[in-house]
Amino acid sequence: VALDIETGERALRRRLEGARVAENSHLARGLGALLEAIREEGPRGSGWDEKGFRKGCEAVRRHLQAHVRRFSRRRPGRIHQGWAVNEIFRTLPEAGIFVSDVCHASYWAWKLTPAPHVASFQHSGVWSGMGFGLPAAAAAKLCHPERPVVAMVGDGGLWMSLADFPTLVRQGLSVVLVVMNDAHFGMVRQFQLEDFGRTFEDRTPVQDFAALAEAMGGLGLRVDSPARFVPALRRGLASDRPCILDLKCAHDDPYPDWSTVADRLPRPR
């Protein structure tokens, strides 16, 4: 396994010349043993404090939840994306599986998500693959049909995989897709503002995703106020059809304040 930052044909040729062929099972066993050792002892010489880190994560979660509550009190009736993420966690049963696509709200999901069981939280990771939410939710339901599955997707990300929604209907995969419908590519908009001070082509077509779900044989629910969200989510979880919750939310909610978050995590000793 090689990690480097070289690019180009010359670097590729150099890597190929030094390559060795190995049986994948040997690599898998070796990585498994390494991960088990880290789990039991921590990285050697790192001063890793797992209990302290977990306490720090809980402190971060409480801090962000308080931020969302303050924001919601200042702007009543408005659906804050971080608030919606937190309500999903509060409503989803402990055995449930939460899938996060890459979208504006995923910044909240990464920090607010508890993961009490294996596969409780699914995300595309550093690859930032928009469109991940719907197919990942389908895979989660196929692997764990007895567990409720909720996927949080942005409207931009859902457009990248919406054509597979009829597959959920045909296969009887009763997952719930919560669409953060703010009519924008939220992350793109944020990056443009940070780098250039203005935005360009950051809007998405305004659509009624609930109507699209019904047209394709699923359950479609529109949510335009905080009071209607949790009842709609519970209705979707109880349905035997795949469901789209079309959640009308604002596109200009601020991201979490990372400077205050970092101070709540312990440093290696």
Side-chain angles (χ1 to χ4, degrees), residues 49-133:
D49 178 8
E50 182 174 352
K51 290 184 178 179
F53 185 78
R54 289 180 179 273
K55 289 178 64 177
C57 289
E58 287 298 327
V60 167
R61 190 172 296 127
R62 290 193 299 270
H63 169 69
L64 293 179
Q65 288 169 342
H67 169 91
V68 169
R69 286 194 296 270
R70 289 194 300 270
F71 186 90
S72 299
R73 283 196 295 268
R74 290 197 301 269
R75 305 174 82 167
R78 177 167 170 158
I79 299 177
H80 185 287
Q81 296 193 23
W83 172 86
V85 169
N86 198 53
E87 290 304 303
I88 292 173
F89 299 147
R90 287 162 53 92
T91 306
L92 189 64
E94 184 176 331
I97 298 174
F98 179 77
V99 177
S100 173
D101 206 325
V102 176
C103 58
H104 192 109
S106 59
Y107 275 88
W108 293 95
W110 296 337
K111 299 299 183 292
L112 289 172
T113 307
H117 300 287
V118 174
S120 290
F121 179 58
Q122 298 291 313
H123 188 266
S124 65
V126 297
W127 299 111
S128 297
M130 288 180 66
F132 169 84

Side-chain angles (χ1 to χ4, degrees), residues 7 78-79 100-101 104 179 186 207 241 244 249 253 259:
T7 60
R78 177 167 170 158
I79 299 177
S100 173
D101 206 325
H104 192 109
V179 186
Q207 295 291 345
R241 293 186 289 165
I244 290 182
C249 52
D253 291 338
S259 62

Side-chain angles (χ1 to χ4, degrees), residues 195-215:
D195 294 339
F196 308 110
R198 62 185 181 89
T199 62
F200 178 76
E201 295 294 336
D202 63 320
R203 295 179 179 270
T204 59
V206 178
Q207 295 291 345
D208 185 343
F209 288 104
L212 288 172
E214 292 285 343

Side-chain angles (χ1 to χ4, degrees), residues 165 169 212-219 241-242:
F165 188 82
V169 176
L212 288 172
E214 292 285 343
M216 291 185 282
L219 173 64
R241 293 186 289 165

Side-chain angles (χ1 to χ4, degrees), residues 9-49:
E9 182 179 348
R10 181 179 300 176
L12 176 61
R13 187 164 56 248
R14 188 159 50 246
R15 286 197 294 271
L16 291 176
E17 290 171 353
R20 297 291 184 272
V21 178
E23 173 61 43
N24 287 342
S25 61
H26 297 321
L27 175 61
R29 285 197 295 271
L31 287 176
L34 176 61
L35 291 173
E36 183 65 21
I38 291 174
R39 186 185 69 82
E40 292 181 355
E41 304 175 12
R44 186 168 300 174
S46 68
W48 176 251
D49 178 8

